[in-house]
Amino acid sequence: KAGVTQTPRYLIKTRGQQVTLSCSPISGHRSVSWYQQTPGQGLQFLFEYFSETQRNKGNFPGRFSGRQFSNSRSEMNVSTLELGDSALYLCASSLVSRSTDTQYFGPGTRLTVL
Amino acid sequence: GENVEQHPSTLSVQEGDSAVIKCTYSDSASNYFPWYKQELGKRPQLIIDIRSNVGEKKDQRIAVTLNKTAKHFSLHITETQPEDSAVYFCAAGDSNYQLIWGAGTKLIIKP
């Protein structure tokens, strides 16, 4: 079974721009979660999607948004980029819920904001 | 709000010794407790998990114990090896889709 994939793997943007990241979950998994990881900051939860609906949201500004498609693939968007948005963005898929099932993480998208 | 405290933030042990990482949670509704390992430059991976109806679970050199009364759970690694060097994250989840993460423990195995 293919693992979780994320595209692109690396991105360089400038302040004020917007960016869209993509995540393809493991086949059959319906839950997709997104995390931001910066050095020494652990895993900061952004949001979780299930059946095209946002089920949970972390403590991030409205510039961070996401969506999920009918095939469970998910995208996240960050608008009006700030220097502090530079981070590794990880997505993870699970069968039904991140809070009761194993999460399988993708390799991440490393975003650099200049 | 709900939180998970993880200690220590850094743990250095001699190769072959045991390592213990502890987490305390606040949400009494939590019933799922996974542990993830993240090696340098790699993605987090589940190494072991435990549910609230079990007090202990083992998988080779790794074990997790859960004390629901005290609301804490611990990861035990015996006979540590260089490949155990990583950051370990604990988490506590419930049936209302909440999953709270610990801040992580950097485990260093000294040769």
Side-chain angles (χ1 to χ4, degrees), chain A residues 36-53:
Chain A
Q36 181 195 67
Q37 188 171 42
T38 51
Q41 289 299 314
L43 294 162
Q44 304 300 313
F45 170 65
L46 282 152
F47 23 67
E48 179 187 16
Y49 284 88
F50 177 82
S51 290
E52 302 177 65
T53 301

Side-chain angles (χ1 to χ4, degrees), chain A residues 37 56 99-100 103 105, chain B residues 32 36 38 43 51 94 97:
Chain A
Q37 188 171 42
N56 247 315
S99 68
T100 57
Q103 289 185 87
F105 284 82
Chain B
Y32 175 61
Y36 287 82
Q38 187 176 26
R43 69 192 80 182
R51 299 187 189 270
D94 65 27
Y97 313 120

Side-chain angles (χ1 to χ4, degrees), chain A residues 3-4 35 37 40-43 45 48 55-56 88 90 96-108, chain B residues 31-32 34 36 38 41-46 49 51 89 92-104:
Chain A
V4 178
Y35 295 91
Q37 188 171 42
Q41 289 299 314
L43 294 162
F45 170 65
E48 179 187 16
R55 186 154 69 185
N56 247 315
L88 180 68
L90 293 161
V96 174
S97 169
R98 70 189 186 105
S99 68
T100 57
D101 306 324
T102 301
Q103 289 185 87
Y104 296 87
F105 284 82
Chain B
N31 53 20
Y32 175 61
Y36 287 82
Q38 187 176 26
K42 297 192 175 179
R43 69 192 80 182
Q45 286 191 303
L46 180 81
D49 58 9
R51 299 187 189 270
F89 294 99
D94 65 27
S95 301
N96 289 321
Y97 313 120
Q98 297 295 327
L99 181 75
I100 310 298
W101 292 84

Side-chain angles (χ1 to χ4, degrees), chain B residues 2-103:
Chain B
E2 307 300 348
N3 76 313
V4 171
E5 292 188 3
Q6 184 172 346
H7 298 283
S9 56
T10 304
L11 178 61
S12 183
V13 302
Q14 207 70 40
E15 183 179 346
D17 288 350
S18 295
V20 180
I21 303 170
K22 299 180 181 179
C23 289
T24 304
Y25 61 98
S26 60
D27 184 2
S28 56
S30 297
N31 53 20
Y32 175 61
F33 307 92
W35 286 88
Y36 287 82
K37 173 185 180 181
Q38 187 176 26
E39 295 177 58
L40 191 63
K42 297 192 175 179
R43 69 192 80 182
Q45 286 191 303
L46 180 81
I47 54 170
I48 196 166
D49 58 9
I50 192 168
R51 299 187 189 270
S52 59
N53 57 348
V54 175
E56 183 175 5
K57 185 176 178 181
K58 282 184 181 178
D59 183 2
Q60 298 182 354
R61 298 185 297 107
I62 292 173
V64 56
T65 57
L66 172 64
N67 183 327
K68 284 218 76 179
T69 304
K71 292 186 192 170
H72 67 70
F73 57 110
S74 301
L75 177 71
H76 304 253
I77 305 174
T78 58
E79 300 172 8
T80 53
Q81 299 170 5
E83 54 265 35
D84 295 328
S85 292
V87 177
Y88 292 81
F89 294 99
C90 66
D94 65 27
S95 301
N96 289 321
Y97 313 120
Q98 297 295 327
L99 181 75
I100 310 298
W101 292 84

